[in-house]
Amino acid sequence: MKRVVITGIGLVTPLGHEVETVWKKLLAGESGVGPITLFDASNFPTKIAAEVKDFDMALIGEEPDDWKLQDRHTQFAVVAAHKAMCDAALWCNKSKAFQFDSERIGVYTGAGEGKQDFDCFAEMILAGVDYQADGKFDIGKFIKKGIEILDPIKELEQEPNMPAAHLAAMFEAYGPNVNCLTACSASAQAVGEAAKLIKRGEADIMIAGGAHSMIHPFGVTGFNLLTALSTNNADPKGASRPFDKERDGFILGEGAAMVILEDLEHAQRRGAKIYAELAGYGATSDAFRITDIHPEGRGAVGCMSKALEDAGLTINDVDYINAHGTSTSVNDRVETLAVKTLFGDRAKQIPVSSTKSVTGHLVAAAGGSELIYCLLAIRDGILPPTINYKTPDPDCDLDYIPNVARNAKCDVCLSNSFGFGGQNVTLAVKRFV
């Protein structure tokens, strides 16, 4: 079976758009959370989020006006992938630094849906209300107004597959092209499935990761209705507090994370730098409730176990776990239980942290970004902290690297991603030797 290594990384996050900048802020515990500015959230229960700031397509030399019809998540994906491809010395300044076989390079994204054109949608709703007929809704008038004012390109660009399509076109990736949307586990699942394509010999290189932006009225409304978001509006930077007893929900974030996966022999032939080996991938389903993790953590235990088995590792090999760690009451308690169930007496010896405490929850892009933080932890021997950890919870009693980053030997990391619907993914990465 072929070995898969990671040779390039790219990020667009609430902490910045350069990997080293993001990493520095993450280690320093500089929160990316603040008041929502992308829309008027003054009447919402949650008025805070982790937004991407100072972003446009000029970051990679593109003309922003050329991308005005493309959705925010697509733009994030393109910038992150461009940075990853350049980092891997495969593509710089729109010219290939290495002449790869275009039919042997593919794209696998875990990208979410784009946002609706809310102004147009509101106008359509108003057009459909017949005030002369007791306020009844006229679907014919609603549709007629939509035909008049909706932009067909914008409607197309909101589809979840569009980031993958744009990446394929930009980077001449004629190989496999897939998008999965498995909620918060999407980009982790995309990376794991992309690695399988390489292991099966169907591609030499895969651009893999995810992108999402749900900081819009529908996204915030939906999570508020699920009572999943923090309402600690008075303290934005302190609102995301995974594993803390006073946690009250997650902070919605946005962004993109892309990695370049490569067949080891292919990477060695071209002299590529290697961040780490993607050694294992485990995926399970809770098959339980749509929005609740199984109370015994059976899916979480299963995907961690499968990732270790796939990697040929044991529980004694793990140096660090990047937790899903959303800052919701149920997730943090059950993820803690799952770690203790699998690792037994060793559980409390393994450092565990949630980087969502700093970045917020990037939803479909979360797993990809957290994988990158694991790669950097291996590279630098530094483990990122869980910030805002003040009040211990008796149900959450692991070593969460509270508030301050830690120097530590780090050769093997697990990255957990658990999505609504019961999808669970763990990626295992190890130092390349």
Side-chain angles (χ1 to χ4, degrees), residues 252-275:
L252 192 57
E254 61 176 355
M258 295 290 169
V259 298
I260 306 305
L261 303 178
E262 199 163 348
D263 167 43
L264 173 58
E265 293 182 0
H266 187 275
Q268 290 177 324
R269 281 198 303 272
R270 69 181 189 89
K273 76 171 181 293
I274 294 172
Y275 282 96

Side-chain angles (χ1 to χ4, degrees), residues 40-72:
D40 181 1
S42 59
N43 292 321
F44 285 71
T46 295
K47 301 172 176 59
I48 55 176
E51 297 179 348
V52 170
K53 306 158 190 76
D54 303 318
F55 175 88
D56 66 35
M57 295 300 290
L59 289 167
I60 57 169
E62 292 286 314
E63 175 55 54
D65 282 348
D66 293 343
W67 291 84
K68 63 186 179 182
L69 295 180
Q70 279 67 46
D71 205 89
R72 190 170 172 86

Side-chain angles (χ1 to χ4, degrees), residues 273-308:
K273 76 171 181 293
I274 294 172
Y275 282 96
E277 180 175 357
L278 184 65
Y281 163 53
T284 63
S285 174
D286 281 350
F288 185 57
R289 294 175 183 155
I290 295 301
T291 57
D292 290 341
I293 192 169
H294 187 273
E296 296 177 357
R298 67 185 179 197
V301 172
C303 66
M304 287 189 286
S305 178
K306 288 176 183 294
L308 289 173

Side-chain angles (χ1 to χ4, degrees), residues 12 26 67 69 89 91 103 126 144 156 182 190 199 202 214 230 253 272 299 304 316 326 393 409:
V12 173
L26 191 72
W67 291 84
L69 295 180
W91 192 280
E103 293 189 355
L126 291 173
K144 181 175 183 294
L156 172 65
T182 46
K199 288 184 176 184
E202 296 182 35
M214 293 189 73
S230 171
M304 287 189 286
N316 295 315
T326 57
D393 182 340
K409 171 183 175 292

Side-chain angles (χ1 to χ4, degrees), residues 134-321:
D134 299 324
K136 291 183 179 179
F137 191 76
D138 187 326
I139 189 66
K141 291 181 179 179
F142 174 83
I143 293 172
K144 181 175 183 294
K145 178 56 71 172
I147 292 172
E148 291 174 0
I149 65 175
L150 286 176
D151 187 314
I153 301 300
K154 284 186 177 180
E155 288 302 299
L156 172 65
E157 288 289 346
Q158 69 164 330
E159 296 299 327
N161 67 301
M162 293 311 294
H166 284 288
L167 296 186
M170 175 170 277
F171 300 114
E172 301 174 12
Y174 304 157
N177 189 283
V178 189
N179 183 72
C180 65
L181 183 45
T182 46
C184 314
S185 63
S187 55
Q189 188 141 36
V191 171
E193 294 294 332
K196 284 193 170 186
L197 289 172
I198 295 174
K199 288 184 176 184
R200 292 198 300 265
E202 296 182 35
D204 297 326
I205 301 167
M206 292 294 296
I207 304 167
H212 213 165
S213 178
M214 293 189 73
I215 307 175
H216 52 66
F218 284 174
V220 175
T221 296
F223 285 125
N224 272 150
L225 289 171
L226 291 170
T227 66
L229 294 182
S230 171
T231 56
N232 188 7
N233 301 305
D235 183 19
K237 296 187 182 303
S240 181
R241 40 192 170 181
F243 306 108
D244 187 274
K245 186 177 181 181
E246 304 303 322
R247 64 192 182 276
D248 73 328
F250 73 82
I251 293 296
L252 192 57
E254 61 176 355
M258 295 290 169
V259 298
I260 306 305
L261 303 178
E262 199 163 348
D263 167 43
L264 173 58
E265 293 182 0
H266 187 275
Q268 290 177 324
R269 281 198 303 272
R270 69 181 189 89
K273 76 171 181 293
I274 294 172
Y275 282 96
E277 180 175 357
L278 184 65
Y281 163 53
T284 63
S285 174
D286 281 350
F288 185 57
R289 294 175 183 155
I290 295 301
T291 57
D292 290 341
I293 192 169
H294 187 273
E296 296 177 357
R298 67 185 179 197
V301 172
C303 66
M304 287 189 286
S305 178
K306 288 176 183 294
L308 289 173
E309 181 182 1
D310 188 40
L313 298 168
T314 73
I315 61 172
N316 295 315
D317 295 315
V318 177
D319 297 311
Y320 167 65
I321 299 173

